[in-house]
Amino acid sequence: MLDTCKLKSACNLPFVYNKKINTAGTSNADVPLADPGMYQLDITLRRGQSLAARDRGGTSDPYVKFKIGGKEVFRSKIIHKNLNPVWEEKACILVEHLREPLYIKVFDYDFGLQDDFMGSAFLDLTQLELNRPTDVTLTLKDPHYPDHYLGIILLSVILTPKEGEHRDVTMLMRKSWKRSSKFQTQSLRLSDVHRKSQLWRGIVSITLIEGRDLKAMDSNGLSDPYVKFRLGHQKYKSKIMPKTLNPQWREQFDFHLYEERGGIIDITAWDKDAGKRDDFIGRCQVDLSALSREQTHKLELQLEEGEGHLVLLVTLTASATVSISDLSVNSLEDQKEREEILRRYSPLRIFHNLKDVGFLQVKVIRAEGLMVADVTGKSDPFCVVELNNDRLLTHTVYKNLNPEWNKIFTFNIKDIHSVLEVTVYDEDRDRSADFLGKVAIPLLSIQNGEQKAYVLKNKQLTGPTKGVIYLEIDVIFNAVKASLRTLIPKEQKYIEEENRLSKQLLLRNFIRMKRCVMVLVNAAYYVNSCFDWDSPPRSLAAFVLFLFVVWNFELYMIPLVLLLLLTWNYFLIISGKDNRQRDTVVEDMLEDEEEEDDKDDKDSEKKGFINKIYAIQEVCISVQNILDEVASFGERIKNTFNWTVPFLSWLAIVALCVFTVILYFIPLRYIVLVWGINKFTKKLRSPYAIDNNELLDFLSRVPSDVQVVQYQELKPDPSHSPCKRKKNNLG
């Protein structure tokens, strides 16, 4: 055992460990501190004992952070309301300098507030024996109150030298979730044998149906409940159901299953309280290892530490086709493989697995002229490829501004309206990975088999940054499946950052909504001018049209007029008289949007001034979001008729044609009767169906003006063209 002692070390740390040398092992105490070799530190976080109480109920919600050289390398899960928590979590850390001790910090999780400090300790790595498992007992201390006893943490560690290992290895992104759900990208070197840890082995689909007899948390005898799910670093949050103890959510979430044996999904229920800390209602867990695959399980879970039940549907399915390989392995160049994929998504297989819409292959070839991120004048770039919640990474190319990765990524497409995001980071051992550039490519805009240079953009995707990335992308999909999937809710992303209050964003959304409102105001002025006979010919034409339409009006004329509008805009586009105007106001606002600097986790975890105005900030963010939603709704309608996404406009034409024919031949009373019968019997026919509005789901796929700007490709520098590059090489 390594006992904790209050000693001073050569690096002046407040608390270190007195090492008892065991002759059976090999001590590394004599290893030079400047040894450039790599070491692998395998840690098992066992448990805590007699930890400090930080909550009003005399308990805490502890979690542990490991840091080396000021960089967070591991964060444990949260054990709720327990002063003797058991974690049994493992971490693999690669260490370059043994002179940097392992810094262990324990915090009490406070939802919506700054987490409370519960104690810290150091582990002197130079005092560990090589290749020998060692149990460690850490006594937690507070540097400001060294006499206070804050409990102990029990670890098992083993330090292994990694001599001669090459450094071109695969990266694994770790998401360090903070209270606001904003994550900080961090990297950890792994050997190639760990590459498979990036790939999931199944999909866990959870449908949150309802809650029953939940605990009343408000003075009115009701609650405003919502539910949070967590599986590893994957997190989801349901919508808030106001003033009810029996909420009906009908929401669906997908998790990736990384381990063969399954995992534990932590579920907590909360009561939303504006302006103060949300109330805890209860918790429960789902052990995935106890559930059979390819089968839907209905679970009624009793909430612990509270009252009521949650009703869920849980389905475990086999993994989709997601992979990473070298450029020499190209599935689409293999004729048999390509034919199999084409047959899989042929029109004849419309009703075979409706969720499997298509196949995406991305070749990440190289990048050129990247931004300098290190003091050496170089960068250590690696690339992250994301499609919704599917995320894969390349290896790191060290000390290079023109890296070549030559990797192929394949994904299954569940929604053809998804956006492929490719981000380049600089790996930095001393801190979080630095952002170098990003591109967002809608799948419907991809030209198959074309090697293309994409200019890297900033984090907001509003302007260029330094460098280009060469990609070759192929998309194969079933158009009928894609159309059907358009009418159901979009997949949520579990890594999206929560909205933050921004003066520029608030102003931008206000301007966007103002433009949408002004369209309606101008239309009203135009109609009023017809009544005032400001222009007699125009007013006379409007009067005749009014008499004709009212006298002959039938309901089918509504979709017919919309159909004519779509057709008119289409002919304007193909004739070169495109009347679409890209709003320069939006682009100017986006260009001026302030850059958000990455903020390191504050050790003090103090409750700052921002917490005192939490209620005001929440109201401002709500207003900001409402402005964005209203403006986006109007812009999506406009962009549907402007043929911004031809696939969706053609789909609208087909739907409007069908509606026009139906309304022309079928009396309105029959249509309303069928609609009412469907609405009244829907819950009887499918008790757990997720409620949705097909029209709103369709519009959610149409990009707003802001998204159009974000997805717009920037023109590359002619000097980066492949032809010129080859010519220069020959020269």
Side-chain angles (χ1 to χ4, degrees), residues 9 25 34 37 62 109 140 163 199 231 235 267 316 347 385 396 472 496 512 604:
S9 68
Y109 174 75
L140 298 174
E163 298 178 358
L199 307 181
L231 176 62
K235 292 184 179 180
I267 306 171
L316 279 69
V385 183
T396 301
E472 183 178 327
E496 285 186 330
R512 291 170 59 206
S604 61

Side-chain angles (χ1 to χ4, degrees), residues 492-530:
Q492 296 186 33
K493 291 191 72 172
Y494 57 72
I495 64 167
E496 285 186 330
E497 299 179 10
E498 285 190 358
N499 294 312
R500 301 176 62 185
L501 184 60
S502 167
K503 180 178 66 176
Q504 284 78 5
L505 190 59
L506 188 63
L507 178 60
R508 187 191 76 188
N509 291 342
F510 177 77
I511 294 175
R512 291 170 59 206
M513 192 184 75
K514 180 181 176 181
R515 286 203 318 274
C516 294
V517 172
M518 288 306 297
V519 170
L520 300 178
V521 171
N522 292 334
Y525 278 131
Y526 183 85
V527 172
N528 191 60
S529 69
C530 293

Side-chain angles (χ1 to χ4, degrees), residues 386-402:
E386 299 176 80
L387 184 69
N388 293 331
N389 288 317
D390 300 343
R391 183 179 305 100
L392 294 173
L393 296 83
T394 69
H395 60 278
T396 301
V397 179
Y398 292 94
K399 301 189 183 308
N400 201 319
L401 299 180
N402 302 288

Side-chain angles (χ1 to χ4, degrees), residues 202-205 257 262 286 288-289 291-297 314-318:
I203 302 293
V204 182
S205 178
L257 188 62
V286 175
L288 299 178
S289 61
L291 303 180
S292 57
R293 291 177 178 263
E294 308 300 337
Q295 181 179 348
T296 299
H297 306 267
V314 182
T315 307
L316 279 69
T317 59

Side-chain angles (χ1 to χ4, degrees), residues 51 62-65 87 104-108 116-120 140 153:
L51 301 185
Y63 67 92
V64 181
K65 294 181 184 179
W87 284 284
I104 296 95
K105 302 180 68 177
V106 183
F107 290 95
D108 166 54
D116 297 320
F117 178 71
M118 295 178 62
S120 64
L140 298 174
I153 293 291

Side-chain angles (χ1 to χ4, degrees), residues 251-301:
E251 289 187 88
Q252 192 264 332
F253 312 96
D254 286 338
F255 290 95
H256 291 146
L257 188 62
Y258 288 86
E259 301 178 4
E260 294 285 0
R261 62 180 181 276
I264 301 293
I265 297 180
D266 293 312
I267 306 171
T268 53
W270 301 83
D271 166 57
K272 180 65 177 177
D273 282 334
K276 59 181 180 179
R277 180 179 177 181
D278 293 349
D279 296 321
F280 177 76
I281 295 179
R283 69 166 44 86
C284 55
Q285 290 184 331
V286 175
D287 186 359
L288 299 178
S289 61
L291 303 180
S292 57
R293 291 177 178 263
E294 308 300 337
Q295 181 179 348
T296 299
H297 306 267
K298 180 184 177 183
L299 305 178
E300 296 186 15
L301 304 176

